């Protein structure tokens, strides 16, 4: 895990994870990863096991998708990030992927969390759509108590009464979690928004509020994405977000809150 040394998340290590919602094939993943790498991204995401609301939707390439991501990561020297959805895939994924993600639907999957406590890879724990801060931190404890303290929390929007956005991004989570815990917290504006037009403002709000990183769905042909096309942004938009980050973080570091 040498390449993770300078690439962890925390106040001194702001990182952006970007890539498509789902891995569709090797070539398109490689193309997306290369484009993102050329723009300064060092962590690439892509889902292989997609937990879709409808059984009729594309549910990912499965193990083959993980191998595509692992190979692209090796080829381009990028850190790979992907969601693990079930206990019997933990060892397989830990062999090939650098950072494992627990998706919102699995925040309460305690057997999965326990197994993730036994591996030596960072785990991004997304907040359940209706989980309180304490429930979220209690889930993190399942991983930490089992021996893995490399837990990164990810706020990705919660379910509220507002139907215009896919979820409601809870920006307060950043400050509240930082008061309650020492774990890094990153923000996924894509799933919160459900709409690419909202992603830049949510991303920058998160940076201004002190987030330790971002995870954003992005690929060269956003509207052609099989999964989550509406919320996927273009590499140009991502570059604009990246350009705004340093100044926002500088302002924040000067403020004594
Ligand atoms: C994802 O990141 O592709 C995803 C499905 O996210 P969430 O678990 O937050 O819905
Ligand atoms: Mn998605």
């Amino acid at each position: 895990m040498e390449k993770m040394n300078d690439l962890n998340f925390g106040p001194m290590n702001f990182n952006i994870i970007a890539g498509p919602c789902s891995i569709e094939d090797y070539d398109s993943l490689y193309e997306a990863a290369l484009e993102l790498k050329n723009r300064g991204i060092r962590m690439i995401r892509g889902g292989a096991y997609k937990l879709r609301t409808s059984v009729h939707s594309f549910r990912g390439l499965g193990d083959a998708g993980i191998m595509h991501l692992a190979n692209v990561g090796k080829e381009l020297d990028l850190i790979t990030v992907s969601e693990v959805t079930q206990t019997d895939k933990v060892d397989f994924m830990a062999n090939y992927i650098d950072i494992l993600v627990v998706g919102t639907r699995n925040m309460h999957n305690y057997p999965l969390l326990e197994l993730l406590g036994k591996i030596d890879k960072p785990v991004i724990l997304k907040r359940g759509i209706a989980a309180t801060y304490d429930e979220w931190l209690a889930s993190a404890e399942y991983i930490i108590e089992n021996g893995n303290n490399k837990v990164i929390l990810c706020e990705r929007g919660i379910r509220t009464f507002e139907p215009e956005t896919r979820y409601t991004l809870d920006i307060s989570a950043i400050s509240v979690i930082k008061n309650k815990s020492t774990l890094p917290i990153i923000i996924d504006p894509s799933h919160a928004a459900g709409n690419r037009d909202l992603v830049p403002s949510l991303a920058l709000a998160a940076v201004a509020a002190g987030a330790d990183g971002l995870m954003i769905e992005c690929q060269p042909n956003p509207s052609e994405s099989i999964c989550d096309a509406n919320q996927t942004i273009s590499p140009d938009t991502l570059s604009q977000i990246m350009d705004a980050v340093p100044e926002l973080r500088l302002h924040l570091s000067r403020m004594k809150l």
Side-chain angles (χ1 to χ4, degrees):
M1 281 308 292
E2 264 167 44
K3 61 180 174 174
M4 280 303 294
N5 286 348
D6 61 333
L7 283 172
N8 222 324
F9 291 88
M12 308 310 286
N13 292 300
F14 185 91
N15 284 296
I16 301 183
I17 301 165
C21 176
S22 59
I23 299 156
E24 299 174 9
D25 54 65
Y26 181 87
D27 291 344
S28 66
L29 184 67
Y30 183 90
E31 187 198 339
L34 182 60
E35 170 87 46
L36 293 168
K37 180 177 172 165
N38 288 338
R39 289 168 187 264
I41 291 291
R42 298 165 79 189
M43 298 184 174
I44 175 91
R45 63 151 286 153
Y49 313 102
K50 299 305 296 181
L51 298 178
R52 304 302 298 278
T53 302
S54 167
V55 71
H56 305 295
S57 302
F58 175 61
R59 290 159 73 204
L61 295 183
D63 297 357
I66 293 301
M67 296 316 297
H68 290 333
L69 183 58
N71 290 332
V72 165
K74 204 190 274 176
E75 191 79 18
L76 296 175
D77 193 27
L78 290 166
I79 304 235
T80 51
V81 181
S82 196
E83 180 179 345
V84 58
T85 56
Q86 56 198 76
T87 50
D88 61 3
K89 295 294 179 193
V90 169
D91 287 342
F92 169 65
M93 285 192 63
N95 269 333
Y96 291 106
I97 300 297
D98 297 313
I99 304 180
L100 272 51
V101 180
V102 177
T104 195
R105 293 163 187 79
N106 268 314
M107 192 208 82
H108 295 287
N109 185 339
Y110 303 119
L112 179 64
L113 302 178
E114 282 178 323
L115 277 185
L116 291 169
K118 299 186 197 315
I119 64 168
D120 188 23
K121 292 277 164 99
V123 175
I124 293 177
L125 178 63
K126 292 186 117 180
R127 183 182 183 183
I129 58 168
T132 65
Y133 300 136
D134 283 343
E135 287 164 346
W136 190 13
L137 290 171
S139 285
E141 279 284 311
Y142 266 87
I143 304 172
I144 295 164
E145 277 299 302
N146 277 281
N148 183 357
N149 61 10
K150 295 192 280 286
V151 178
I152 300 143
L153 300 171
C154 178
E155 159 66 33
R156 45 77 72 208
I158 51 174
R159 173 75 36 94
T160 68
F161 49 81
E162 177 53 65
E164 289 226 7
T165 50
R166 190 172 180 187
Y167 295 92
T168 297
L169 185 66
D170 179 14
I171 289 285
S172 309
I174 300 164
S175 302
V176 177
I177 289 293
K178 281 181 178 290
N179 283 335
K180 292 176 90 85
S181 153
T182 55
L183 294 174
I185 175 168
I186 67 171
I187 295 290
D188 169 352
S190 309
H191 290 86
N195 169 353
R196 71 173 66 89
D197 295 343
L198 300 177
V199 169
S201 57
L202 294 181
L204 296 186
V207 177
D212 298 311
L214 296 167
M215 175 149 65
I216 300 183
E217 288 184 341
C218 174
Q219 63 131 312
N221 307 301
S223 51
E224 284 166 28
S225 311
I226 295 180
C227 188
D228 286 349
N230 291 348
Q231 69 199 32
T232 301
I233 63 169
S234 67
D236 279 347
T237 305
L238 183 68
S239 288
Q240 287 174 21
I241 294 171
M242 291 170 76
D243 287 348
V245 168
E247 204 170 326
L248 283 174
R249 288 182 52 76
L250 191 64
H251 278 292
L252 196 64
S253 70
R254 288 191 186 127
M255 285 174 74
K256 298 269 175 289
L257 295 176

